[in-house]
Amino acid sequence: MSQRRADPHGSMLPNDEVMPYSDDETDDELEDTSESEEEEEEEQQGAPHHPPEETARGPEIGWKVKVNDRAYHQLPEFQKKVFLCIKKSRYSGNAIKTYKYNAFTFLPLNLYEQFKRVANIYFLALLILQIIPAISTLPWYTTLIPLVIVLGITAIKDLADDLARHRMDKEVNNRKCDVLLDGRFKEKKWMDIQVGDVVRIKKNEFIPADVLLLSSSNPNSLCYVETAELDGETNLKFRMGIRATDERLQEENQLARFNALIECEEPNNRLDKFTGMMLWEDQRYPLELDNMLLRGCKVRNTDYSHGVVIFAGADTKIMRNSGKTRFKRTKIDELMNYMVYMIFALLILVAAGLAIGHTFWYEQIGSKAWYLKDGKDYNASYRGFLSFWGYIIVLNTMVPISLYVSVEVIRLGQSKFINWDLQMYYAEKDTPAKARTTTLNEQLGQIQYIFSDKTGTLTQNIMQFKKCTIVGRSYGEPTTKEGVKLEKIKPVDWAWNSLADKKFDFVDHLLVELIKSKKDKDALEFFKLLSLCHTVMVENNDGELVYQAASPDEGALVTAARNFGYVFLSRTQDTITISEMGQEKTYEMLGLLDFNSDRKRMSIILKFPDGRIRLYCKGADTVIYERLSPDSRHKETTQTALDLFANETLRTLCLCYKDISASEFEAWSRKHKEAQVVMVDREAALDRVYEEIEKDLMLIGATAIEDKLQEGVPDTISKLAKANIKIWVLTGDKKETAENIGYSCSLLTDDMEIHYGEDVNTKLRTRQEKRRNEPPSSFRPGKKKPAELFFPGSGKNALIITGGWLNEILCEQKKKRRRLRLRRLGKRQTPSNPQDPMNDWEKEMRQIDFVDMACECEAVICCRVTPKQKANVVSLVKKYKKAVTLSIGDGANDVNMIKTADIGVGISGQEGMQAVMSSDYAFAQFSYLQRLLLVHGRWSYIRMCKFLRFFFFKNFAFTLVHFWYSFFSGYSSQVAYEDWFITLYNLAYSSLPVLLVGLLDQDVNDRLSLKFPKLYLPGQQGLLFNYKKFFISLFHGIFVSLVIFFIPYGAFLQTMGQDGEAPSDYQSFAVVTASSLIFTVNLQISLDTSYWTFVSCFAVLGSIAIYFGIMFDIHSAGIHVIFPSVFTFTGAASNALRQPYLWLTIILTVGISLLPVVCIQFLHKTIWPSVGDKVQRNRRKYEMQLEEEDKKKKPSAFQRGRASRRSAYAFSHTPGYANLISSGQSIRRRTTAQGGARR
């Protein structure tokens, strides 16, 4: 729960260092804090405070687990209604299910989902209409065949996707674990584990469920776990069993007799909290998160652990954090649906108009013409009604069913290209990029906001000791033993140190030589401090020292000391043993003052073998410099080095010491012991005592650690920024660490003004007060942001805000507490009153203000945020900016954010697969994101837009010929083409060229796409496919249909063939118009193709050849003899196309259709060229300019005279193992760590 601190005015403000509450927080967690706030509110409102009766009761705990008793959890009181009278246990089984279908539900469910698409229902209705003889103008198979093909292809794709989910679920559910059944441990599958089962988890095994730790092979039932799957962090964390179970539940028979009843909180998504109570043999034992092993974690450095399953399967915290699976659709999908509705409305209007025309025509002409009698006694109105349905069928190709199957094929192909891209393949871990969905590719070309996790996504979570400064002299640059700088980096050879970590890289040979010579006493003291002042624990693994650190920073510093000859060997509750340049020494530990987020430092008080008492301290420069002795030297030179380290975005810590007299220590020790037993506010009392001893310190130097970014992160962020994509970092890390990484990856720069939570809250309150003083009508929810900016001026701004401030700004905590208070008082929440200090309208306007302010900034970093808050931030930007968003992360705490965004990307690798399983796209490195968006995303968007524009055009051109023909056929629903041409037009004659454009076309190659990120802008602005482009395609289709109909019509009106016969029959006319259409659409797509390959040429020429080949076959006498009623155009093609006059007509029709397009394209490329046109035209010139600019670029000099220096301090956001060490709980009882660690 978020702790709060008082500001100078006395109000309570959020604590930047603490993670705020989650939406799944149980109500009793808020009771203590909310009661005092309620009293304050009621006093301010003048209302008397009546304590509710309910508060006298303890919090209700509704989850009960009986150990080793499966039947208990099947009792009626634990049953819940599923459907009607069907009930099942409220306790989930341990099997997980992410698939959608099974063998029985696939066909009905898949068809149901497909027929939720309006177009499929439309085509099914058309099929039914075509079966009715009275209104059928086309054979039923012209709709059935395409519909079956579309449904079949989509079903096969959905089946393949779901089978992959089945395989993944099966792999997880079939993992093995030891379960205690019938008095002994048996190997069972994860899916067979139930709540209340006792399980045994071995070293390096994943934890199968949320388990209460009972005992382990380590002393005091200590268990080390790696939580990378949950939060992306690779440093180990410890969990511990309670003392009663540790002492009495070590053996198998003891565990078999264990029959405790555990009562705890209901299943929720809080990864940082657990509250419960265990009742065993009439004794009650409190339970907390430190006693729990969560599913998804991996047991490390612990031979075995025993535990009882509390939450299984879907009830586990990792699954609760997976969030709700949302059906994601692209902007183009939504636009296309609206356009289909428009086309359908147009179809209704056109059909209605033609039906009315037929009614009047029949009354005036048709009924009087004896040769038009059909023997049916229908009046004109009824004939018009039938004609309406006939035209609905005839003109249905304005919404072609092949459009959807073509879109699916294109998306599938684009997904394969992503999977096959070798430049997105990470060879080190054999991890290719993976498109886990095939429906969102073109959306990758429209991203406006990226929300990224930090740990494991931007960084590798690997710390490396890079540089240091010792008594004013800096080390870490490549130098020789004599201190001469090297141009070529030569790593230090650690052969002289048998205990060195061979993986440790360092390039300054001078510092190593100083240590080896033992001449520089300050350097020796520097590394002695690093080897002693820490909370690291050590294990001897087959002669190899293995360090377990609470943070990777500590591990890196102790490893550095180890390589420089000061090797941490072992520790007990009150001693620490190191090897000093080969000589083993043991120091008595008198006090260990652990790190925390407020102190930003840690200290150790040691008694040397010669009796001296010395305090060693390391911490942030901002707190160390305040506590230095006036006599301390090298402050200015160390400060300059810290500035340089900060400029290089290294993480720094200052090192110092203090000699303490025995009497001074005795006096301080008494105060320390008194503070340890204080009952009220013990932490504050201890901090005051620590302050007394941590003063008048002597500065030795400072360390500089590199928090290794993933390769190419700064370059990726820079290129995405040039593409006008804004990147927000959402992390659970503390503020200093997140800010430091912001500078490392170039998200933050020194010329940016950084605004923090308090500043943001003040600005929002000012805007809110201003709004309250204005008429409410001038501000409406959803209205565009006011013209007045939050940050006027041309300067760059960045926003860094913590989770506590985020709740304060968005009023989330107040809303939660108000709900809780009303429920306890037995009241209902009343509707929002406009006069309330914060009603729904004001809350929404405040959210809009916050989003507007954040979007004015070049960079936004939200730190110490919960998984729920990450998702909420994404939702706010989606809701109020209507922007296309992408979230990228690597752990279970990122899953909710990944599912909320329009596109979710999972980073696969050592951090686990939870994020990947919930993502739409997955790859191994953040740097691949630029290729995914700027190359694959942009190409996919351009291809899909070009495909849709052309597809609508070619179908308007094809279908509207029927419309023009109806004016000369009495509006009788007569088709202008042969039936088989209508059936095959979209399937065979015109589909392949446009399909290949949708798959292969590219305006510029991938290299230029990355060099010119501005090429990405048209996709963000939706310029290539919108209502304007749709109407251009519509009018283009109308123009071409006019030309294709009326030029052949004019040619056929009064003409004579070569043989003296007039080729002006309906069938010849149908052949000429169809041939003109095929030539026109295939040549038109050729004009629109930017990237020509052999396949593209073959597709265009092949489509024309296929048309003529099939046409001559179905117009032959042979097939007419076999199917006389189906193939009726006998000899029409050969008769029409042997006339040169008709060939001239076809050429004239095609030429007039294409000439305006050629002229317009020429004018656009010469007078109004796009960015892509300019890049293509001046490609070599631009490349030369870029090369010259790269040569001129130099690293920016550090500004020494800045008004405010940025601290590079960044350290672990959790306390270390000090409590474990000082209590002796981590020390083995069987063999001493010291003896085991010695060589």
Side-chain angles (χ1 to χ4, degrees), residues 32-50:
D32 295 335
T33 55
S34 58
E35 281 177 14
S36 59
E37 290 179 14
E38 288 164 26
E39 289 172 7
E40 283 181 23
E41 288 177 18
E42 291 177 355
E43 283 172 11
Q44 290 170 3
Q45 295 168 7
H49 176 63
H50 301 287

Side-chain angles (χ1 to χ4, degrees), residues 614-658:
R614 176 169 284 187
L615 176 143
Y616 284 132
C617 180
K618 66 183 181 189
D621 51 338
T622 50
V623 297
I624 294 296
Y625 267 67
E626 294 173 357
R627 291 161 177 79
L628 291 179
S629 167
D631 300 330
S632 183
R633 298 180 300 158
H634 312 295
K635 287 192 281 189
E636 291 77 15
T637 50
T638 303
Q639 185 72 70
T640 303
L642 287 168
D643 291 344
L644 293 170
F645 295 157
N647 200 38
E648 296 173 32
T649 66
L650 299 174
R651 299 165 64 140
T652 59
L653 285 175
C654 288
L655 310 184
C656 48
Y657 71 94
K658 174 185 178 181

